[in-house]
Amino acid sequence: MKRDYPHLCAPLTVGRLTLRNRMLSAPMGATDITAEGTPGPRTQGFYELRAKGGAAVVTVSELVVHPETDGSQMLRLSLKTPGQLGAFTYLADAIKRHGAVASIELSHSGQYAGTYMVDKEKKGDLCQWGPSDGVRPDGMPVRALSHEQIASIVAAYGEAAALAKRAGFQMVMVHAGHGWLINQFLSPYFNKREDEYGGPLENRIRFAREVLASVRSAVGPGFPIELRISGAELFEGGYDVAEGARIAHALEDLVDLMHVSAGSYQFGFSVTHPSMFRDHGCNVHLAAEIKKHVSIPVVAIGGLSDPAQMEEIIASGQADAVAMARGLLADPELPSKVMANRGDDVVKCLRCYVCMAERAVTQTRRCAVNPLIGREFEGMDIARSPRSRKVLVVGGGIAGMVAAATAARRGHDVVLCEREGELGGILRTEAALPFKRDMYELGRTYAHLLDRLGVDVRLNTEVDAAFAERIAPDAVIVAVGSAPIPMPLPVEEGARVLSIDDLYLGGEQPGDEVVVLGGGLTGCECAINQVRLGRRAHIVEMRDGLAIDANIRHRPILLAEVERAGIDVNLNVRGVRVERGGLVVAGGEGEEHLVPGDTVICAIGQRSRSDAADALRDAAPFVRVVGDAVRPSNITTAVYEAYHAALDI
C-alpha cells in the first residue's frame, strides 16, 4: 500500500522497541483518580481509546514519585495501597492489547505542588519544595530541598520506574520540563543553589543525571526511557535554546528518546500548550535545533493535528516523531486515519482549552469536538442500529452536522436540510478570524464527512411542518441554531452599525475606529481582530469583566491578547444610543460619555431560533432539539447534545 504520509507511517526503533509509526500520544492527566492516587475505570477508557486509535505510544500522566514533597492530586503507585498495582496493570494492559506501547510519565512538581488541585485553598496547606529558598510569583513560600531529601527523591524515581515496569509498562517518560522539579534544577531562574547542584550547567544537570541513572538502574538496559524537556524556557531569566541543546546533549547518554517541548506553566501556559493565537507547530523549531546536537531520536510537540504538517516535520528532518495531546483528544483515530490514507477525515483540535479547563474545574475531561472523551467507559460509542430509520436533520451548523454524521454511522437513512447555501452555521463566521480558522475548518471537515457517509444534504432548503410531513421521517433532530441579537439601542441617522454577520459573512468594512458593544467572548475576539487589521478598537461591556463566558484556561490568554492589542476597555457601563461619532454610554450613576468611533459593531449575543424549533416538535415520533436551538451556548454543548440525540434514535 502506498502511503500518503510515508514518513509519519514509518516505524521507529527506540531502545529495544519498534514503534509502529511516528505518532505518539503525549501525556495528558488522568481523571477519576482516587484519594490514594489510583486510576479508575474512566481513566483506563480514556487512555485505551487513543491506543485503539493507532498511536504508537500512549503515555499515562502524571505519576507522582515522591508524595512526601509533592502534594499534587495526580497518580501514585505504591505497594502499600491495596489494589493500586493491579489498577496500573489493567491500565497498561488496556493500552498494549491494541498494539500501542504503554508508557508512563514520572513526575515531581517541585515548587508547583498542588497545581492540579480543584480546591486551590488547600495549596496553602502544602509545603512547596524547590532547589532554592524563595517566594513564588503568587506569594507562596518555597523551601530548598536538603541533600537527604534530594537523595530520597532520586531513589523514588527509580522505585516508581521499577513498579511501572512490573505493572507491564514498556517505557517511561521522565518529566524534566515546564517548570517542574527537574526543570527547576536545570533553570538558572529557579536554581540559586551554591552547592554541587547549583551554579554552572554541569552542576545544574547533576540532579537530572542522578534521577535518570536511578531510573536506568531500576528498569535495566534496553528498556526505553523518554526525557521530556523544555527546549527553551522562553521567559526572561530562563535558559534559551542554545542552553537547551547543551542540556539535551549532556543527558542523552542516559535516555533513548528526547521529547522537546517548551516554556513553563507559570510564565507561559499558552506557549507550552500553544493557544489559537499562535501558529500550529510554533515550538517545533526547538526540537529541530536540539536534533542537531543529539544522536538519539527527537520528538516534536506543540499544537499539532494536521497530518500534512506533521509529515513535513519528519520528512524535513526537524524531528523523528511527533507527539500530540489535544490533537488525540479531538480525534483519537488520527493515527489510524493517517495510516489508512484518510487524512482528510481527521477532526482537528480547536485549541480552545475546553479539555484543560474542565479538568481544573470538575476533575473530569471533556473535548469541544469529541463527546466521547472522558466518557469512554459509559459505552456511548457509535454502534449500528438494529433497524435503519429515516432521519431528518434540520440545520447544517455543527450540531446538525454531528447529528447527521452520527446517525449515518449508525446505518440510518439521513436527510440534512440547511436553509443557507453552505454548511457550517455559525462556524462560517470564523473564516474571518485568522486565529479561529480551525473552527471554520471544522465545518469543512464535517461537510466532507457527510459526503463520504452518503448523507443527503439539501442546501437552500427551509424546513417547516409541511415539508417534514412530505419527508415522513421516523426521527427529526432540530438544530436550527441561533441568530445575532440586533442592536437594541436608538441609532442616529447616518450612524453606522454592523452586526457580527454583516462583518464576517457580509464582507462589510468598518472605518478606522470601531466600538464593539459587548465584551463577551465574541466581542473580545472581534476587537482583537480589528486591531490586527490596523484599526483602533474600543469594547463596551455592562458587566465588571471581559469574556466572562470564556473557560478558565482560555480567558486569561484572551485578556492578555486584549491588553497586548491596546484596546480601550469600558466596563460597568451600558449603551444608551448610537451617534455618528460613536456610542454614548452611561455609568452606574447615570453619567453619560461618548466612546468614539465611526462604526459600532453589535456583539451582544445570540438568540435561539425557538419559533422554528417549536414548529417541528410534532414532526415525527422521535423529535429532539439540540445545540443553540435549545439555548445559545458553545460548540462543546452543541456537539455533545447532537451526538447523543443521534445515539438515542
Side-chain angles (χ1 to χ4, degrees):
M1 175 181 175
K2 185 177 179 181
R3 302 286 189 186
D4 289 345
Y5 309 95
H7 296 86
L8 269 182
C9 297
L12 177 68
T13 299
V14 179
R16 292 178 180 170
L17 290 176
T18 298
L19 310 185
R20 59 184 173 186
N21 58 54
R22 307 286 178 108
M23 294 167 279
L24 284 55
S25 176
M28 206 157 194
T31 50
D32 59 337
I33 305 172
T34 69
E36 296 81 17
T38 304
R42 292 181 187 276
T43 291
Q44 178 175 316
F46 174 69
Y47 289 113
E48 183 172 8
L49 186 61
R50 282 180 278 182
K52 290 171 67 176
V57 177
V58 175
T59 303
V60 174
S61 169
E62 296 181 37
L63 181 65
V64 173
V65 300
H66 200 258
E68 296 84 358
T69 54
D70 187 355
S72 296
Q73 284 180 329
M74 294 185 282
L75 295 169
R76 301 176 187 180
L77 178 51
S78 169
L79 297 179
K80 297 176 182 178
T81 303
Q84 196 164 65
L85 181 62
F88 278 95
T89 302
Y90 284 124
L91 176 53
D93 181 65
I95 295 169
K96 292 187 295 183
R97 64 187 173 213
H98 300 290
V101 170
S103 182
I104 192 163
E105 183 180 46
L106 309 181
S107 179
H108 193 302
S109 305
Q111 70 176 54
Y112 293 118
T115 296
Y116 295 123
M117 285 185 170
V118 174
D119 182 359
K120 299 303 181 185
E121 298 299 320
K122 284 196 172 183
K123 286 199 297 184
D125 299 332
L126 299 174
C127 182
Q128 307 291 330
W129 298 95
S132 311
D133 290 330
V135 179
R136 284 183 7 181
D138 60 4
M140 294 190 71
V142 180
R143 294 175 59 187
L145 290 163
S146 67
H147 283 75
E148 291 75 19
Q149 288 173 313
I150 290 173
S152 178
I153 292 170
V154 167
Y157 270 96
E159 292 161 6
L163 282 176
K165 182 178 179 181
R166 180 172 169 180
F169 286 92
Q170 303 156 293
M171 181 172 171
V172 293
M173 171 189 280
V174 176
H175 194 342
H178 302 171
W180 268 202
L181 182 62
I182 298 177
N183 175 253
Q184 290 163 27
F185 272 87
L186 294 172
S187 172
Y189 178 88
F190 293 107
N191 188 346
K192 306 300 182 183
R193 296 179 76 102
E194 297 180 353
D195 60 7
E196 68 271 28
Y197 290 100
L201 180 62
E202 58 265 30
N203 284 356
R204 285 185 279 119
I205 65 170
R206 188 182 307 277
F207 178 64
R209 287 195 63 84
E210 290 179 353
V211 165
L212 292 170
S214 176
V215 172
R216 174 57 70 202
S217 177
V219 299
F223 187 92
I225 300 174
E226 182 177 6
L227 181 65
R228 179 181 232 190
I229 66 169
S230 289
E233 291 187 284
L234 302 176
F235 64 84
E236 188 175 351
Y239 63 76
D240 60 12
V241 66
E243 183 138 340
R246 288 192 289 271
I247 290 169
H249 178 71
L251 299 175
E252 69 166 316
D253 62 306
L254 295 170
V255 300
D256 302 281
L257 195 61
M258 191 68 66
H259 175 117
V260 182
S261 186
S264 173
Y265 285 128
Q266 180 73 37
F267 300 105
F269 186 87
S270 70
V271 173
T272 300
H273 310 282
S275 75
M276 63 177 63
F277 298 106
R278 297 181 182 273
D279 291 338
H280 289 279
C282 58
N283 295 329
V284 171
H285 70 100
L286 301 174
E289 179 60 29
I290 284 174
K291 184 169 166 54
K292 299 174 185 176
H293 300 270
V294 298
S295 58
I296 58 175
V298 171
V299 180
I301 191 171
L304 302 174
S305 61
D306 177 38
Q309 181 184 29
M310 293 187 288
E311 170 72 13
E312 173 58 25
I313 288 168
I314 298 175
S316 63
Q318 296 177 79
D320 300 287
V322 292
M324 296 162 277
R326 290 174 291 170
L328 293 183
L329 266 66
D331 194 340
E333 295 182 0
L334 186 156
S336 292
K337 289 177 178 178
V338 168
M339 296 286 283
N341 291 343
R342 292 171 47 218
D344 290 343
D345 291 357
V346 171
V347 177
K348 300 182 182 69
C349 170
L350 303 181
R351 298 187 295 169
C352 61
Y353 295 125
V354 165
C355 52
M356 295 181 173
E358 193 69 29
R359 186 168 179 238
V361 172
T362 66
Q363 290 184 307
T364 63
R365 183 76 74 191
R366 195 180 288 277
C367 172
V369 296
N370 185 352
L372 264 184
I373 287 298
R375 288 144 185 85
E376 301 87 351
F377 181 69
E378 297 172 12
M380 290 295 181
D381 50 345
I382 299 171
R384 289 190 71 84
S385 172
R387 182 166 71 88
S388 178
R389 292 172 170 81
K390 188 163 192 177
V391 179
L392 172 63
V393 178
V394 186
I398 185 60
M401 290 190 291
V402 168
T406 306
R409 287 186 176 117
R410 296 196 63 221
H412 297 308
D413 178 15
V414 184
V415 176
L416 183 150
C417 296
E418 163 57 43
R419 65 176 187 158
E420 301 291 341
E422 182 183 356
L423 293 174
I426 204 168
L427 296 182
R428 293 161 54 222
T429 65
E430 311 296 13
L433 300 171
F435 51 86
K436 297 193 77 176
R437 180 78 187 185
D438 289 341
M439 294 192 180
Y440 172 75
E441 293 296 340
L442 175 66
R444 300 305 90 216
T445 298
Y446 262 97
H448 162 74
L449 290 173
L450 294 180
D451 181 62
R452 191 174 65 78
L453 290 165
V455 173
D456 180 3
V457 175
R458 304 181 187 183
L459 301 176
N460 300 304
T461 303
E462 190 87 40
V463 175
D464 56 16
F467 181 95
E469 186 175 356
R470 291 194 299 273
I471 294 288
D474 299 300
V476 174
I477 297 177
V478 183
V480 292
S482 59
I485 298 174
M487 174 63 74
L489 306 177
V491 179
E492 181 182 16
E493 185 177 353
R496 189 151 187 242
V497 173
L498 298 178
S499 70
I500 289 294
D501 282 0
D502 292 333
L503 190 66
Y504 295 163
L505 298 179
E508 295 284 350
Q509 295 297 313
D512 294 333
E513 186 169 18
V514 301
V515 181
V516 180
L517 177 60
L521 190 58
T522 300
C524 290
E525 291 168 346
C526 175
I528 291 168
N529 194 54
Q530 291 306 306
V531 171
R532 291 187 173 192
L533 291 171
R535 301 182 177 100
R536 297 185 299 278
H538 310 262
I539 297 176
V540 171
E541 170 57 47
M542 64 188 301
R543 296 174 293 184
D544 61 0
L546 292 179
I548 293 174
D549 50 336
N551 69 61
I552 66 166
R553 291 297 191 194
H554 182 61
R555 185 171 184 254
I557 295 164
L558 179 72
L559 296 183
E561 291 294 328
V562 169
E563 183 177 1
R564 187 175 295 112
I567 296 167
D568 171 46
V569 177
N570 301 264
L571 300 176
N572 297 306
V573 294
R574 57 182 177 82
V576 176
R577 61 186 177 276
V578 180
E579 296 181 349
R580 284 191 293 271
L583 177 66
V584 177
V585 301
E589 302 299 323
E591 70 283 3
E592 295 184 357
H593 71 274
L594 180 72
V595 179
D598 48 49
T599 309
V600 176
I601 300 170
C602 185
I604 58 176
Q606 299 284 121
R607 180 176 294 141
S608 295
R609 297 185 63 235
S610 52
D611 290 348
D614 289 342
L616 296 170
R617 290 189 183 273
D618 297 321
F622 176 100
V623 176
R624 184 75 59 83
V625 182
V626 298
D628 276 11
V630 179
R631 72 193 71 80
S633 185
N634 51 41
I635 291 177
T636 312
T637 301
V639 168
Y640 193 76
E641 291 179 352
Y643 179 82
H644 286 280
L647 290 188
D648 287 346
I649 297 173

